[in-house]
Amino acid sequence: MSQKSLHLRLGTVVVLCALFLVFYAIPSFVFAPSNVGNIVLSPLFWPFVLAGLAGLVGAGLLASGVSSDDTPFEDADTGPSDGPAGWLRLLGLATIMVLVMVALPRLGMVWTSMLAFVACAFLFRTRHPMIAVICAIVVPLLLYAFFAHVAGVAIPQGHFVRLP
């Protein structure tokens, strides 16, 4: 498969999914009260933002596919691997998902997401482990600070450690 055909296929699927979300799924299945004062806090806002971003990514893939050449890109690094490594990573990811569901009520959303981020980063052997650990700590704390203190949304806390 060439990069051109891959980008064209992926771009088409992503744009179609984004259009489906914008015109059918979000209006039909996301309910929002009419008296929400701040648009950012509306339940409709972020699904539309994500669908719009997906549409932009799909359009970028289509543009990249149209402008790229038709040379194949599979080589020793990107070709399918022979062996159980892929299946073991998939099993590891499934285990992380189950552990997240078990840990959420006990540790809370912030601490569980930190641990899950670090576990996934090391499962997939990131090239930047220190940046992954820093992001695993900083991003959930910033999201907690925004949603708990700015937006006023209650974030589930655990039984052991409670954030202010």
Side-chain angles (χ1 to χ4, degrees):
M1 177 178 289
S2 68
Q3 186 171 357
K4 179 177 185 150
S5 65
L6 179 68
H7 283 197
L8 288 174
R9 289 179 186 177
L10 283 176
T12 303
V13 169
V14 170
V15 166
L16 290 175
C17 287
L19 290 173
F20 171 75
L21 286 172
V22 167
F23 292 114
Y24 179 72
I26 295 172
S28 297
F29 298 110
V30 178
F31 302 105
S34 59
N35 60 353
V36 176
N38 191 351
I39 186 69
V40 176
L41 298 178
S42 171
L44 290 173
F45 179 74
W46 291 110
F48 276 123
V49 166
L50 292 175
L53 289 174
L56 286 175
V57 168
L61 283 170
L62 286 173
S64 172
V66 168
S67 65
S68 66
D69 56 351
D70 209 13
T71 59
F73 65 92
E74 287 189 22
D75 57 9
D77 293 335
T78 60
S81 64
D82 297 330
W87 291 106
L88 288 175
R89 275 195 299 272
L90 185 62
L91 179 65
L93 188 60
T95 304
I96 290 171
M97 289 179 186
V98 169
L99 291 174
V100 163
M101 295 309 299
V102 170
L104 268 172
R106 291 161 184 77
L107 298 177
M109 189 173 283
V110 176
W111 302 105
T112 304
S113 63
M114 287 180 189
L115 294 172
F117 192 105
V118 168
C120 287
F122 289 115
L123 175 69
F124 296 119
R125 295 186 202 112
T126 179
R127 291 183 206 154
H128 310 286
M130 286 307 298
I131 294 174
V133 170
I134 291 169
C135 288
I137 294 169
V138 171
V139 171
L141 287 176
L142 287 176
L143 287 171
Y144 171 77
F146 172 76
F147 283 106
H149 299 294
V150 176
V153 177
I155 302 296
Q157 296 285 322
H159 297 298
F160 303 115
V161 179
R162 309 217 17 93
L163 293 170

